[in-house]
Amino acid sequence: MAVVLLPGFMLDAGLWDEMAPLLAPLGPIHHGDLFQDGTLEGMAERVLAGAPAQFVLVGFSMGGFVAREVARMAPGRVQALVLVATSARGDSASQQARRGAISGRAFRGMSRSAIARGLHPDRAGDAALVDRLRGMGDRLGGEVFGRQSLLPRPAFDTRLGEIACPTLVVAAAQDALRSVAESQELAAGIPGAQLRIIEGSGHMIPIEAPGELARLILDFTGPALRQA
């Protein structure tokens, strides 16, 4: 078995630095490439092209949108699905317009204030953590920023029933970007899905609560893989 990890908007493999060794019991770690395509379907196809024959799939935030597509497109390959701080809701017209406006600006790095909003209030003033997250965006650069900003994110709520693999949905109680209600909607729509809520973390669960998230994944995937 292996694990495929999908990061969020303007984040790279560095998002998983603390978690990767903790997930080693599940097998080799693979990082999905979400940086070259302008649609969720294109991203999903690229992830599948670079993934092992069978794997556990973990998608964070925007990566969760892609992970849903991967699980839908290749149900026989995804042995277990973990959706972290993500949603089945599509962008509203105003959100789409705002993303379009942002994408047209010259890229000068991710806003430190926007990054801080994604953290638990107790960590919002952690300059080293904010700089670490901003550094990922700097490494990815303006072209990726433009593509990901314009990425169509249609609603998926009516298609959740198409996900057939064992699924764990994880939310953070103090997430200011993706609500617990959105995770509840995901868990309610995916047959047999489990929901877990982490206390004391903002949106950036893989960095803010890596130990707790890894424990939840390992506790879930053991039984799920035995049933597969």
Side-chain angles (χ1 to χ4, degrees):
M1 192 55 61
V3 183
V4 175
L5 303 175
L6 306 182
F9 177 75
M10 291 305 286
L11 299 168
D12 61 18
L15 174 72
W16 309 101
D17 282 354
E18 290 83 1
M19 288 197 62
L22 300 176
L23 296 178
L26 294 176
I29 302 295
H30 299 258
H31 295 282
D33 181 349
L34 308 186
F35 315 121
Q36 302 186 60
D37 301 284
T39 66
L40 294 174
E41 294 83 359
M43 290 178 174
E45 289 170 356
R46 190 176 298 274
V47 168
L48 284 166
Q54 292 185 317
F55 52 93
V56 174
L57 180 60
V58 183
F60 168 74
S61 195
M62 185 195 77
F65 285 65
V66 182
R68 295 182 330 229
E69 290 294 332
V70 172
R72 182 186 63 80
M73 292 165 62
R77 295 179 62 186
V78 181
Q79 299 298 287
L81 174 65
V82 183
L83 300 173
V84 183
T86 189
S87 178
R89 299 178 187 177
D91 281 346
S92 66
S94 62
Q95 287 172 320
Q96 292 172 5
R98 185 164 62 250
R99 288 183 187 278
I102 290 172
S103 70
R105 301 173 188 167
F107 181 67
R108 297 184 176 87
M110 299 299 293
S111 161
R112 287 185 171 84
S113 61
I115 293 170
R117 285 196 297 274
L119 298 170
H120 187 281
D122 291 345
R123 299 184 187 90
D126 185 334
L129 178 53
V130 171
D131 285 345
R132 173 183 171 184
L133 293 166
R134 194 170 193 268
M136 296 187 208
D138 290 345
R139 288 195 293 271
L140 293 175
E143 288 189 11
V144 174
F145 178 75
R147 274 194 293 272
Q148 292 191 351
S149 295
L150 292 174
L151 181 71
R153 303 186 188 196
F156 197 81
D157 53 329
T158 62
R159 307 189 68 181
L160 290 172
E162 299 177 26
I163 297 176
C165 60
T167 301
L168 172 67
V169 180
V170 182
Q174 290 78 35
D175 189 340
L177 302 184
R178 289 294 179 188
S179 67
V180 171
E182 290 171 272
S183 290
Q184 292 170 332
E185 292 163 4
L186 278 170
I190 299 172
Q194 299 181 25
L195 172 65
R196 298 290 183 268
I197 300 173
I198 294 178
E199 294 287 342
S201 177
H203 185 64
M204 295 294 170
I205 300 173
I207 288 177
E208 296 188 70
E212 178 68 5
L213 179 56
R215 183 188 66 79
L216 290 174
I217 293 172
L218 292 172
D219 287 351
F220 171 74
T221 51
L225 294 177
R226 285 195 293 270
Q227 294 171 12

